[in-house]
Amino acid sequence: MFMKGKDVVAMGTAGAAGAATGVVTASTVYGGAIAAANAAGIYGAAATSSALAGLGGGALTVGGAGMAGGVAVVAASAALPAVVVGAVGFGIYKLLKP
């Protein structure tokens, strides 16, 4: 079963809207963490490390997921809204399509 031209355009549009939403969400999450690190007087690479470890639940030595966990949080905050917005947008198109 192949998709028709309008369906492909609608899927692309829904995917682009989802990706844009995901980027905004991820940048907000990461930006907030960096702002908190800067407020604590940490700048540059140390701020990035601190922000990612904070998002990951703390350093590995204290039982958190560390920077890897922070990267996973930022990635999930981009992926989840992208999938949801894309799927809902395309679903609405299919529902309302004549």
Side-chain angles (χ1 to χ4, degrees), residues 10-91:
M11 183 181 290
T13 303
T21 304
V23 167
V24 169
T25 304
S27 62
T28 302
V29 167
Y30 181 69
I34 289 291
N38 288 341
I42 305 170
Y43 301 98
T48 299
S49 298
S50 172
L52 289 175
L55 287 172
L60 293 172
T61 56
V62 296
M67 290 176 58
V71 170
V73 167
V74 173
S77 71
L80 183 62
V83 169
V84 170
V85 169
V88 169
F90 188 67

